[in-house]
Amino acid sequence: MNRRNFLRNTALASGALMVPAFLKPFEALAINELSGYKNLVIIQLSGGNDGLNTIIPYGNDIYYQKRSTIAINKSDVIALNDVQGLNPNLSALKELYDQGWMSIINSVGYPNPDRSHFRSMDIWQTGSEANQFLTTGWIGRYLDSNCATCKNPYTAIEVDDTLSLAMKGAKMKGIAVEDPSKLFQTTREPFFKELVHDHENANLSEDNLGYLYKTMAETYSSAGYIQQTSKTYAVKGEYPATPLGNQLKTVSKFINSGLQTRVYYVSLSGFDTHVAQQGQQGRQLQIYADAVAAFIKDLKQTGKLDDTLVMTFSEFGRRVEQNASNGTDHGTANNILLFGGKLKKAGIFNDAPDLAQLDNGDLKYKVDFRDVYATLLDKWLDVSNGQVLGKGFKGLEFI
C-alpha cells in the first residue's frame, strides 16, 4: 500500500483531521507548566431535553392541566422551593444543590427559535442569531481570540472520537480525545511512525496530502503529551459505569493531572422524547445526575471544585402541552444547569417559567443563552465576550 492510498483509506488519517494545527511538538512543551487556572466543563444533552419534567414547576396547576399523563406526581418531586423541584431521577443532585454547588437558570433561549435539532444545535454551538449561519463555534472563536492561555496546546478537549462545531475556530480548533492511551498506542504503530518521520522532510504544501502529513505529525506529538501528563494521576472517585460517567472520569483525570486545558466538552444523547417520555427521559436523567454527582464530589475531594464550572444545556426544550403519544414535541426555551464551588447565586437563579403566557403553546424565553456564554467568557475564561460573540452581551451574575 502506498502512502496516498493509506491516507485515503485509513481511519488514522481521518482521526488526524481532528487535531488542531496550533499544537506544538511534544519536545517543545514546558512540562512544568501545569494547570493552575479555571476549568469549564460543558455537558450537551442532545435531542431536546424536556426542561419542564427536569426542573418541575409542581407548584403551578397549569403544569398538571397540560400534562395529564406525563406530569411528575407532586409526591415524587424533590422540592427545591414552593414552586419548583427536581425530577426524582435527579435525586443524586439534591446534595449538590443543598451544598450550594448548583444553580438553575430558567427560560433560556433566543429570539425567533428554530425547532430543528440540527439548526438549533448549530445556533447554540456557534452562538449565532437565528437567521445567521456561522461556520465557527463559540469555543473555537475563543481559541482564535489570542487569549492569554490560548497559545498553549490542548486548550479545549472534547472527550469523544469526533469534534463538535462548538470547538472549531477559523484558525484554531479543539482536539477530540476519547481515550489518551489508545490514541498514544495508535500513533506508535510502526507504519504511522514511519509516515510521521517522513513528514519531517516533506514538502508541506497547502494541498490535502500535505495537510494530512502535518496533522499526523501533530497527532503523534500531541498524543505523547496527553498520555505522559494524564498518566501521572489515578482517579480516586467512584463513577457509574456509563458512557457519560466514563467521559467525566476522563475529564477528572485530565484536570487533576494538570493538563493545560481550559474547556472540556462531553455529551449525552437520547432526549428526543416524542413517545412514552417518562421512562425514556427518566433513564437518561438518572445517567446524567449520577455521573455529574460523582464528578462534582470527586473534584471537591481533590480541591479542584472551586476552579471548575460545569454548564449543561440542550438545543431546545419541549412544548408545554403533552402530545397524544404520552410524549412532548419540539419546543423552545429551556433551563441551563450550572455546577461549581464558587457560584455567586446558587439555587434557583430566576423565576420559574411562565406557563400562563405562552407563545403559540411554547415557553417565552427570558434569558438569551448568549448572556450565559458572555458571563463564562468574561468572568471565567478571561476574554471579552464581544470578541467571540460578535457583539457585547450584558452577562449574568451567577459567578
Side-chain angles (χ1 to χ4, degrees):
M1 179 185 293
N2 61 36
R3 291 189 183 91
R4 188 176 295 275
N5 287 336
F6 170 76
L7 289 171
R8 183 183 299 117
N9 296 316
T10 181
L12 295 179
S14 62
L17 285 172
M18 297 182 294
V19 182
F22 72 94
L23 291 176
K24 301 175 183 177
F26 174 53
E27 294 77 14
L29 297 175
I31 301 302
N32 60 346
E33 294 180 7
L34 298 181
S35 171
Y37 37 68
K38 297 173 182 175
N39 306 287
L40 173 64
V41 181
I42 300 170
I43 303 177
Q44 171 184 304
L45 304 183
S46 302
N49 179 46
D50 179 21
L52 290 178
N53 269 24
T54 300
I55 307 300
I56 300 156
Y58 75 99
N60 191 326
D61 291 339
I62 299 175
Y63 166 74
Y64 291 97
Q65 294 167 9
K66 297 287 187 180
R67 300 185 167 200
S68 59
T69 64
I70 70 165
I72 305 300
N73 293 329
K74 286 186 178 181
S75 59
D76 295 328
V77 174
I78 302 170
L80 301 178
N81 60 19
D82 292 339
V83 179
Q84 291 186 282
L86 296 175
N87 184 298
N89 292 285
L90 297 177
S91 59
L93 301 183
K94 183 58 163 59
E95 180 181 350
L96 311 187
Y97 185 91
D98 291 342
Q99 291 287 345
W101 301 335
M102 179 178 178
S103 183
I104 299 163
I105 306 179
N106 291 304
S107 307
V108 183
Y110 56 90
N112 304 309
D114 195 297
R115 291 174 180 79
S116 161
H117 289 293
F118 303 105
R119 178 59 190 145
S120 191
M121 185 61 79
D122 279 355
I123 291 168
W124 275 83
Q125 290 196 358
T126 63
S128 72
E129 301 286 351
N131 61 352
Q132 182 184 22
F133 293 82
L134 300 179
T135 58
T136 58
W138 73 284
I139 296 299
R141 295 197 301 278
Y142 157 70
L143 298 178
D144 286 342
S145 71
N146 297 317
C147 67
T149 56
C150 290
K151 63 182 183 294
N152 294 323
Y154 330 114
T155 303
I157 288 181
E158 184 158 2
V159 184
D160 205 338
D161 58 0
T162 57
L163 199 64
S164 297
L165 175 58
M167 305 281 275
K168 298 177 181 180
K171 298 178 294 183
M172 295 165 56
K173 297 179 182 179
I175 180 171
V177 181
E178 189 169 27
D179 184 326
S181 297
K182 288 182 179 178
L183 179 63
F184 179 80
Q185 292 167 8
T186 298
T187 58
R188 267 55 187 175
E189 292 291 336
F191 194 51
F192 194 105
K193 290 174 67 176
E194 179 186 347
L195 287 166
V196 168
H197 292 314
D198 282 352
H199 159 269
E200 294 174 354
N201 299 316
N203 179 18
L204 292 181
S205 63
E206 293 300 320
D207 63 22
N208 290 337
L209 188 60
Y211 179 73
L212 281 172
Y213 274 122
K214 187 174 185 294
T215 54
M216 289 180 74
E218 290 168 345
T219 303
Y220 182 86
S221 59
S222 304
Y225 172 77
I226 295 173
Q227 169 71 356
Q228 294 299 322
T229 304
S230 64
K231 76 177 185 180
T232 63
Y233 180 81
V235 176
K236 301 176 180 64
E238 294 185 5
Y239 285 77
T242 60
L244 183 62
N246 291 334
Q247 284 180 309
L248 291 178
K249 185 176 182 179
T250 299
V251 174
S252 172
K253 186 177 184 68
F254 287 162
I255 290 174
N256 285 292
S257 66
L259 201 63
Q260 293 181 324
T261 303
R262 295 297 307 271
V263 181
Y264 298 93
Y265 202 100
V266 302
S267 60
L268 175 64
S269 60
F271 289 93
D272 195 16
T273 52
H274 291 279
V275 179
Q277 175 175 300
Q278 273 204 8
Q280 179 183 340
Q281 188 199 26
R283 288 187 293 271
Q284 298 309 104
L285 289 180
Q286 183 163 356
I287 290 171
Y288 165 76
D290 290 350
V292 169
F295 181 62
I296 297 299
K297 291 176 183 178
D298 185 11
L299 294 185
K300 180 62 177 178
Q301 288 297 315
T302 62
K304 294 291 186 179
L305 184 57
D306 286 356
D307 294 326
T308 304
L309 186 65
V310 180
M311 180 192 76
T312 301
F313 81 97
S314 195
E315 68 263 37
F316 46 62
R318 317 294 291 192
R319 291 182 67 79
V320 174
E321 189 167 1
Q322 71 175 72
N323 61 28
S325 301
N326 293 320
T328 51
D329 297 325
H330 300 175
T332 54
N334 207 347
N335 41 52
I336 278 182
L337 306 184
L338 299 165
F339 302 89
K342 287 292 185 180
L343 296 173
K344 182 175 291 186
K345 188 174 181 181
I348 297 178
F349 182 81
N350 55 347
D351 292 340
D354 187 345
L355 303 186
Q357 300 294 324
L358 303 179
D359 181 8
N360 193 30
D362 286 314
L363 295 175
K364 294 180 180 179
Y365 87 96
K366 303 295 184 182
V367 175
D368 193 307
F369 76 98
R370 289 162 297 185
D371 281 320
V372 179
Y373 289 0
T375 308
L376 300 176
L377 292 163
D378 290 338
K379 298 183 179 181
W380 201 255
L381 297 177
D382 304 314
V383 63
S384 170
N385 83 80
Q387 193 175 355
V388 175
L389 300 176
K391 65 177 183 179
F393 284 84
K394 61 184 179 181
L396 305 169
E397 294 295 324
F398 58 79
I399 52 175

